[in-house]
Amino acid sequence: MALLVFDSGIGGLGVVRQLRRLAPARELIYLADNGFFPYGEKPDEALLAHIVALIGQAIAALSPQAVVVACNTASTIALPALRATYHLPIIGCVPPVKPAAAASASKVIGVLATAATVRRPYLNGLIEAFAPGCEVLSLGTPALAELAERKFRGETVQVEDAVAPLFRQENGGRIDAIALGCTHYTFLQEEFSALRPDISWFDPALPVARRSLAVTQHLPATHHPQAGTAFFTGEALAPALLAPFGLTRAETCRW
Ligand code: DGL
């Protein structure tokens, strides 16, 4: 029995890393829908139908114990439909607005995410619930997820141009905490901190990993034959890039 961790690309590997650290014995299967990347630029209806169908195929092929939607863009649109359609635990991602708001002294915080996540009502709900009294400036951009994919494959990248419009907004100069609302951004943490070491940058991976383990702790731990496999809907990543995440096989989906 294994948890299926799912994202549009490499972003969910940050969640896999945290799951490995917190629960080394928990079996994991990874699914990267890189054939449909980037999610943040797809029309809502097409993306929703695509995700519900893909997760259905993955559940039928792999029988996971639970699905971890390690993607904010997918979570903000598909969680209710996934939970209504499939009867197993489905854990989603939430942009870390709450810890960013709590850490902010200036009470001006930033949210960086894909354009889709920023425009959906889900984010407004989070801000109302968890950042009362804060001014929240957000920036949706396709550039950062793409940069994360390139860095993961070994390129040197700079984030300054992509992030600059956030600080140019009115009161942008007062931002002292930023919620990273896209799992891909885990892999750009060094660049963000180097750019603005004075700002606290909040990563989404750890809270999702913790929540996934809390929800699934009562489930039995029996061996799954596909544990440690990373499935790709597009071209598979080189095994050497996956090995640090305890993923020992890379396959293109045949389902
Ligand atoms: N990793 C995804 C997220 O957390 C998004 C990347 C994409 O646009 O596909 O939002």
Side-chain angles (χ1 to χ4, degrees), residues 7-9 11-12 36-41 70-74 93 114 117 145 181-184:
D7 180 41
S8 60
F36 210 61
F37 177 86
Y39 277 6
E41 297 300 295
C71 173
N72 291 92
T73 310
C93 250
T114 64
T117 294
C182 169
T183 50
H184 274 71

Side-chain angles (χ1 to χ4, degrees), residues 106-111 134-139 163-176:
S106 69
K107 295 297 163 204
V108 182
I109 69 167
V111 177
C134 273
E135 183 174 358
V136 183
L137 306 179
S138 60
L139 176 69
V163 174
L166 181 68
F167 300 119
R168 282 202 294 266
Q169 294 180 31
E170 196 180 344
N171 286 334
R174 297 180 54 217
I175 291 174
D176 62 355

Side-chain angles (χ1 to χ4, degrees), residues 193-218:
S193 299
L195 179 69
R196 289 293 301 269
D198 55 317
I199 287 178
S200 305
W201 299 84
F202 288 86
D203 178 50
L206 185 58
V208 193
R210 283 210 182 105
R211 176 89 191 127
S212 304
L213 294 173
V215 168
T216 58
Q217 62 184 352
H218 63 285

Side-chain angles (χ1 to χ4, degrees), residues 24-80:
R26 180 57 78 178
E27 294 199 328
L28 304 176
I29 301 172
Y30 193 68
L31 172 59
D33 187 14
N34 57 338
F36 210 61
F37 177 86
Y39 277 6
E41 297 300 295
K42 299 289 186 296
D44 287 7
E45 267 180 40
L47 182 61
L48 175 61
H50 174 86
I51 291 170
V52 172
L54 178 68
I55 295 300
Q57 287 158 3
I59 291 171
L62 302 168
S63 306
Q65 279 177 307
V67 177
V68 181
V69 182
C71 173
N72 291 92
T73 310
S75 295
T76 54
I77 193 169
L79 282 180

Side-chain angles (χ1 to χ4, degrees), residues 84-202:
T85 312
Y86 306 116
H87 303 289
L88 73 176
I90 297 188
I91 300 105
C93 250
V94 175
V97 166
K98 188 177 177 179
S104 173
S106 69
K107 295 297 163 204
V108 182
I109 69 167
V111 177
L112 284 176
T114 64
T117 294
V118 163
R119 74 168 178 264
R120 290 192 185 128
Y122 186 91
L123 183 61
N124 294 333
L126 270 185
I127 291 170
E128 274 165 31
F130 297 123
C134 273
E135 183 174 358
V136 183
L137 306 179
S138 60
L139 176 69
T141 168
L144 291 169
E146 179 62 39
L147 288 173
E149 290 279 339
R150 299 211 325 242
K151 182 185 172 194
F152 195 87
R153 289 165 174 80
E155 275 184 49
T156 302
V157 299
Q158 63 92 2
V159 295
E160 189 170 2
D161 295 346
V163 174
L166 181 68
F167 300 119
R168 282 202 294 266
Q169 294 180 31
E170 196 180 344
N171 286 334
R174 297 180 54 217
I175 291 174
D176 62 355
I178 292 184
L180 299 175
C182 169
T183 50
H184 274 71
Y185 303 173
T186 296
F187 294 99
L188 296 172
Q189 287 262 30
E190 284 169 23
E191 285 76 8
F192 291 136
S193 299
L195 179 69
R196 289 293 301 269
D198 55 317
I199 287 178
S200 305
W201 299 84
F202 288 86

